[in-house]
Amino acid sequence: PDVEFALSGYESSDYKTLVICGPGPASAFALQVFALRPLSWCLQAQDSARAFPPLPKSPKFFEVSDARGVVVVLLEAPVAAEYAVAWAEKLLLALEGAEVLVLDRILRSEWCSPSCPRPEEPHLAGLWTSCSGRAEIPALPAPNIVQGLAAAVLASCEARSAKCTVALTLQDGAHLSESCLQGFEASVPLLQELQVIQSWQRPNYREAVQKVVP
């Protein structure tokens, strides 16, 4: 579908880091770990007419209250692949120049591992653009790929020669678990480097799981 998105409420500023959190484990981790202050931004389709797949609702926007220049986006539901490129382009254009981190999940049932056993929770793996060296996060092994919005963001950043990392925690089964959230701990050095968090202390993951619906 030919759909255009608009970002309202946004005021240009010196944003250096953009963190996009997928629904479920990534948003649960962010709500529990990041010091967040709401922003009155809205990213939605300009044409609200009926469409299929259904148009995505605006995510929730925040800035990190104890750091400057960090925007955090929390998605309550996935962005359909049909809209992912247009959605990503609108957001990345507004925050051009920011380093991007996408936190999301990969289901263990979808993990392709022909030569060795599938990993178990907690486990984090990722991909990144060619100008981003992220040795602290294990690389997502082939033939596994990122899909949907994460793939659209990664491709757009690669085309712009922008720094972008996609970090996926392993989720075993349909229900969100504490060990699934624990997988994001492997991203803590990167989160500190990007000034998303200033210090680290393991949070209450049981409480975090209760804050979101997977």
Side-chain angles (χ1 to χ4, degrees):
D2 187 11
V3 176
E4 293 187 5
F5 289 84
L7 180 62
S8 59
Y10 165 75
E11 295 182 2
S12 180
S13 185
D14 185 22
Y15 290 112
K16 300 177 181 178
T17 303
L18 169 63
V19 184
I20 302 173
C21 300
S27 291
F29 181 80
L31 286 170
Q32 193 71 11
V33 174
F34 303 166
L36 299 176
R37 180 167 55 222
L39 293 169
S40 57
W41 298 4
C42 182
L43 177 60
Q44 59 185 10
Q46 290 183 304
D47 185 359
S48 59
R50 289 185 178 181
F52 186 83
L55 294 168
K57 295 181 180 179
S58 177
K60 294 181 179 179
F61 289 89
F62 301 86
E63 60 183 358
V64 174
S65 58
D66 55 0
R68 294 188 62 185
V70 180
V71 174
V72 178
V73 182
L74 302 186
L75 285 91
E76 297 181 353
V79 176
E82 290 84 350
Y83 308 127
V85 172
W87 192 101
E89 287 289 338
K90 176 56 66 174
L91 181 61
L92 295 175
L93 183 62
L95 296 171
E96 192 167 7
E99 182 166 353
V100 182
L101 173 61
V102 181
L103 301 178
D104 210 340
R105 65 180 159 194
I106 182 171
L107 296 177
R108 188 171 185 266
S109 60
E110 298 176 349
W111 185 282
C112 298
S113 185
S115 60
C116 57
R118 291 174 179 171
E120 297 181 356
E121 296 179 357
H123 183 79
L124 190 74
L127 292 175
W128 41 85
T129 53
S130 55
C131 62
S132 302
R134 295 304 177 199
E136 65 268 22
I137 297 178
L140 184 69
N144 295 286
I145 58 173
V146 297
Q147 303 181 54
L149 181 61
V153 171
L154 191 67
S156 180
C157 288
E158 181 65 39
R160 292 184 166 108
S161 299
K163 290 184 177 182
C164 175
T165 301
V166 175
L168 306 174
T169 189
L170 190 71
Q171 181 172 333
D172 189 357
H175 299 290
L176 190 58
S177 69
E178 295 174 40
S179 57
C180 176
L181 300 191
Q182 189 180 341
F184 285 119
E185 290 186 6
S187 69
V188 167
L190 176 56
L191 292 170
Q192 291 178 318
E193 177 186 333
L194 297 176
Q195 298 185 352
V196 181
I197 59 175
Q198 305 304 312
S199 60
W200 172 254
Q201 182 176 359
R202 178 173 287 182
N204 185 334
Y205 288 126
R206 177 176 296 180
E207 182 180 287
V209 168
Q210 296 172 351
K211 288 185 177 181
V212 298
V213 177

